[in-house]
Amino acid sequence: DAAYRSGVRAQLQAADILVVDQPETTVEPEGLTKAAYRHENPDDFLHANAEYGRLSMSGVLACAALFDR
């Protein structure tokens, strides 16, 4: 997982594409999203919960601030 992400990140950076990472505090050592941030519906494996969204948006807004010049 880490090697794949690193390779993809390098390609995106070479194309000058900004990447907003999943918040480190939401990731298990194996690379999966921690149970505390998973969607309330146990059948929904594609989405996370509202707290995850809050943490993620903090990262998005921090990156957006880089362009507010």
Side-chain angles (χ1 to χ4, degrees):
D1 181 62
Y4 172 78
R5 288 179 189 236
S6 178
V8 169
R9 175 178 295 284
Q11 291 178 0
L12 293 171
Q13 286 176 337
D16 202 27
I17 297 172
L18 180 65
V19 175
V20 179
D21 290 318
Q22 179 173 350
E24 290 282 332
T25 58
T26 68
V27 182
E28 294 178 341
E30 302 81 20
L32 300 173
T33 300
K34 290 181 179 178
Y37 300 102
R38 293 186 190 141
H39 195 275
E40 295 82 4
N41 178 349
D43 295 327
D44 187 342
F45 297 104
L46 301 177
H47 299 97
N49 63 23
E51 178 61 15
Y52 177 89
R54 186 188 69 75
L55 293 169
S56 294
M57 283 307 298
S58 294
V60 170
L61 294 173
C63 287
L66 298 173
F67 299 98
D68 187 26
R69 298 179 185 166

